[in-house]
Amino acid sequence: MDHDTGYKLLFSHPRMVRDFLEGFVSGEWLRTLDLDSLEKMNGSYVSDDLRSRHDDAVWRVRWGRDRVHLYLLLEFQSTVERFMPVRVHTYTGLLYQDLIRRHELDDNQKLPSVLPVVLYNGESRWRAPIHVRNLIQPGPAEFAGLQPEQAFLLLDQGAFDLDQLASMRNLVAALFRLEHHRSFAEVPQVLDDLINWLRPTELASLRHSFVAWLYRRLPQWMPGVTIPQMLNLQEIQEMTRNSAQEWKDMHHQAGLQEGLVNEARNILRRQLVRRFGSLSERIEAKLNGASREQLEDWIDRPYEVEELEDVFR
């Protein structure tokens, strides 16, 4: 399951779309948005020249006192795409064509407003244009008002502050925290939130979608670990907690070992300075590159030999 497929699965649930709108979109218009009216729409279109197009997720929702439809168009990206505004412009046009072809609009109706959103989860920050006008080279002044004005709302997941996300009771924020965790020890903490928030029976399908998404992501976070077929979030959390503790113990032991090596190196360095004076860069390099066993072998020699070099023979 690649990035696009996994996100399409998660954002096929109205609760994910609701949490996205409530947590990551701002504006007074949200006050009159009827989130209970969220409805997933057909997202596959065939343009007039028979070239197949597909956008990732299209939802519509009622807004305002007149309860007109607004459309939400979601695109999922794991890489930076310079011409993303052109793709969004194309999908918006195809959405309008599809509404017209299916007679969703009568002769007196205008086209609905569309909120295009790109959810980007790549490691590097998004630096590409988000407005199609930034991709069009300058032309005659008379052309200015005739050019496309398409833009999109960018959510660069890695740019969010993880501590701020952790303060939100929001499923989309939890998804972003999992994608960009600072250390693996944070993963079972996020899963604990998901277990609590997805407990209601009506969210069982979304809970299964998170399990399916995690099953594909865990091998990237836990290389070399065999991932058994999971049944629920609790099992995944228990496995990640155990792995995080094992890695913590392993790193702790490695830290203790490194501490003993440093202690032996410092003791030997002090003895050499007392016995032979300042040390050359070559001797310092020899000390820094020595193993614990070598250091322990050398540590009793400074007062048994006459020359510095004899300590290392």
Side-chain angles (χ1 to χ4, degrees):
M1 182 187 299
D2 58 19
H3 166 66
D4 285 1
T5 304
Y7 271 57
K8 288 175 188 175
L9 178 64
L10 289 171
F11 283 90
S12 66
H13 298 273
R15 175 58 187 272
M16 287 293 287
V17 180
R18 175 189 286 265
D19 276 22
F20 160 71
L21 289 169
E22 291 181 333
F24 296 92
V25 180
S26 59
E28 286 296 318
W29 65 277
L30 290 167
R31 292 178 177 271
T32 54
L33 195 64
D34 179 10
L35 291 172
D36 291 332
S37 69
L38 275 167
E39 179 184 5
K40 193 173 188 305
M41 305 300 295
N42 171 44
S44 297
Y45 314 109
V46 178
S47 57
D48 290 338
D49 60 2
L50 301 182
R51 287 177 301 173
S52 178
R53 301 282 186 175
H54 180 81
D55 50 356
D56 290 345
V58 179
W59 289 78
R60 73 178 179 184
V61 61
R62 292 286 186 177
W63 169 75
R65 288 182 299 178
D66 296 331
R67 292 182 56 78
V68 299
H69 277 128
L70 302 181
Y71 283 76
L72 174 66
L73 191 156
L74 296 173
E75 291 289 322
F76 309 121
Q77 280 290 117
S78 56
T79 58
V80 177
E81 172 56 59
R82 179 168 176 257
F83 292 104
M84 195 70 209
V86 178
R87 187 190 304 176
V88 171
H89 180 57
T90 300
Y91 287 158
T92 302
L94 289 172
L95 171 61
Y96 284 152
Q97 284 186 348
D98 188 65
L99 292 175
I100 295 168
R101 183 181 295 112
R102 290 191 289 112
H103 304 290
E104 293 280 336
L105 310 171
D106 61 35
D107 292 339
N108 297 319
Q109 283 182 294
K110 294 183 178 180
L111 295 168
S113 293
V114 177
L115 173 61
V117 180
V118 172
L119 272 70
Y120 167 67
N121 78 333
E123 291 298 325
S124 61
R125 301 286 58 79
W126 186 282
R127 305 298 181 195
I130 63 172
H131 201 300
V132 73
R133 66 166 171 252
N134 295 327
L135 295 169
I136 301 174
Q137 64 183 3
E142 291 80 3
F143 287 17
L146 305 176
Q147 305 309 303
E149 285 295 321
Q150 180 73 62
F152 60 82
L153 174 65
L154 172 69
L155 262 70
D156 185 347
Q157 299 177 25
F160 287 100
D161 179 83
L162 290 174
D163 293 327
Q164 182 180 0
L165 292 177
S167 68
M168 301 168 61
R169 184 183 175 88
N170 187 288
L171 293 171
V172 177
L175 175 65
F176 293 177
R177 289 163 62 198
L178 287 171
E179 287 276 34
H180 296 277
H181 58 267
R182 290 164 293 201
S183 70
F184 189 70
E186 294 177 335
V187 171
Q189 299 172 10
V190 181
L191 293 180
D192 187 56
D193 286 338
L194 285 178
I195 290 170
N196 290 326
W197 299 343
L198 294 172
R199 202 178 300 277
T201 304
E202 64 270 21
L203 296 179
S205 180
L206 178 54
R207 188 163 61 245
H208 294 319
S209 293
F210 263 104
V211 169
W213 178 78
L214 283 162
Y215 188 71
R216 297 293 184 173
R217 295 295 279 145
L218 286 174
Q220 301 173 46
W221 303 338
M222 305 167 62
V225 176
T226 300
I227 310 298
Q229 187 68 45
M230 297 300 172
L231 297 178
N232 55 52
L233 281 175
Q234 285 83 354
E235 291 179 346
I236 294 179
Q237 185 201 34
E238 185 65 24
M239 185 188 68
T240 56
R241 181 186 285 119
N242 291 339
S243 293
Q245 185 60 48
E246 289 174 4
W247 292 347
K248 181 179 178 181
D249 293 342
M250 180 177 64
H251 291 149
H252 179 65
Q253 291 298 325
L256 291 177
Q257 179 70 15
E258 182 64 23
L260 293 173
V261 172
N262 288 334
E263 183 180 3
R265 183 181 296 115
N266 291 334
I267 291 173
L268 177 57
R269 182 180 287 113
R270 288 196 298 270
Q271 290 179 335
L272 294 176
V273 170
R274 282 182 192 155
R275 180 75 170 83
F276 302 105
S278 61
L279 306 179
S280 67
E281 291 184 3
R282 184 177 63 83
I283 296 299
E284 286 286 358
K286 188 181 288 289
L287 293 178
N288 291 332
S291 66
R292 179 183 173 186
E293 290 74 16
Q294 288 175 310
L295 293 168
E296 290 176 346
D297 185 43
W298 296 339
I299 208 164
D300 294 324
R301 295 186 185 179
Y303 300 102
E304 298 175 354
V305 299
E306 296 298 324
E307 301 292 335
L308 176 58
E309 292 295 335
D310 290 335
V311 172
F312 307 104
R313 292 196 179 103

